[in-house]
Amino acid sequence: MDSLPMDRPALMAALRARIGRLERGGAASALARAEAGAVPLADSIDATLPDGGLARAGLHEILAAETGAATGFASLILGRASAGPQGHSKPILWIGPDPDAWPSGLSRYGLSPAALVMVRAPRPADALWAMEEALRCPAVAGALLTLSDIDLTAARRLQLAAEAGGALGLLLRPDTEEPGPSAALTRWRVNALPSLGGNQHTLGDPRWSLDLLRCRSGQPRSWTATWRTTLDRLDTEADTTPMPATRRRRA
């Protein structure tokens, strides 16, 4: 039996109340985000992106070749989007049919559990609605939506909502042979690589293969990246590499 439709007014009221407790002075924070311009990733990556980082007030897409790696990369982005002055975090919404992200685990990548609002939306239509409303809210720093498929019209609505509200939006989708067209400013593929420095007692620093498949006003590139857990820093190889043509076709 299909899930019952979401009680949208009740959900919106609850979200607004939660965001109000997390963030005071929404207009001032929206202005600060607009002035910031972009979320930094790593020097070698930022140098190739048109905005000098991952543009705020925009939609970005992550294709998960490996779920844990993609979740970690998304958490890094959202954590940096959320970070405010003097350690104050701004709200982040994590939306999905059954959002099973572990807040304590996401904190490894700089995403504060105190800033995280988990939204369960079993029906795709409700999930898209919640994502659009979140991106339009000036008090929200960013929002992530886990969704298998999205049509171009819906993606364009999310991009327009991000532009209107100033938030950074992430689409987290499985990696497929034909991901389809995208209205997002960037599209990434994230895969896992063997970690560094771990042993039987400790986890090593996560390593990822990052493929920038599509970038508005930019070129596809690939990096091998390491998340330095103790330093809260993303390091890459010194040189970026153009993506081979055979890999670009999937973008």
Side-chain angles (χ1 to χ4, degrees):
M1 185 174 66
D2 292 340
S3 300
L4 293 175
M6 179 186 295
D7 185 346
R8 294 182 176 181
L11 173 64
M12 206 60 219
L15 290 179
R16 284 171 176 155
R18 176 75 185 275
I19 290 168
R21 291 193 298 269
L22 290 169
E23 176 66 276
R24 304 300 180 189
S29 65
L31 178 60
R33 286 199 303 277
E35 291 174 346
V39 173
L41 298 176
D43 288 346
S44 60
I45 299 177
D46 297 342
T48 70
L49 296 173
D51 294 284
L54 208 61
R56 300 176 189 264
L59 183 68
H60 305 273
E61 189 174 8
I62 298 175
L63 303 180
E66 199 281 325
T67 302
T71 300
F73 183 59
S75 301
L76 157 65
I77 294 169
L78 293 174
R80 292 186 172 182
S82 172
Q86 300 177 343
H88 296 296
S89 297
K90 300 166 187 174
I92 295 292
L93 271 68
W94 194 292
I95 305 164
D98 188 17
D100 57 355
W102 183 38
S104 297
L106 303 184
S107 65
R108 186 185 190 196
Y109 303 99
L111 180 53
S112 170
L116 192 59
V117 180
M118 308 291 283
V119 179
R120 182 176 180 271
R123 301 195 319 158
D126 290 332
L128 286 167
W129 173 84
M131 181 69 166
E132 184 174 344
E133 291 296 317
L135 294 177
R136 288 188 184 278
C137 179
V140 170
L144 177 144
L145 172 63
T146 59
L147 197 65
S148 295
D149 297 300
I150 183 171
D151 63 48
L152 195 56
T153 299
R156 284 172 176 159
R157 286 181 63 91
L158 295 182
Q159 171 60 33
L160 291 173
E163 291 174 3
L168 185 148
L170 291 182
L171 288 175
L172 183 58
R173 302 177 55 204
D175 187 28
T176 62
E177 287 294 330
E178 297 295 336
S182 176
L185 299 182
T186 64
R187 171 180 276 174
W188 303 77
R189 181 193 297 120
V190 184
N191 208 345
L193 296 172
S195 61
L196 292 178
N199 54 46
Q200 60 181 340
H201 302 294
T202 61
L203 295 173
D205 287 336
R207 294 176 69 237
W208 305 320
S209 169
L210 302 179
D211 295 332
L212 178 59
L213 302 173
R214 179 182 180 276
C215 179
R216 191 177 297 179
S217 302
Q219 296 297 319
R221 293 277 175 174
S222 293
W223 296 267
T224 295
T226 303
W227 173 246
R228 306 291 184 184
T229 306
T230 59
L231 301 175
D232 289 334
R233 189 180 74 209
L234 187 67
D235 289 338
T236 68
E237 296 176 344
D239 298 322
T240 63
T241 56
M243 188 173 298
T246 55
R247 298 176 70 185
R248 292 186 196 176
R249 294 195 191 110
R250 298 178 59 193

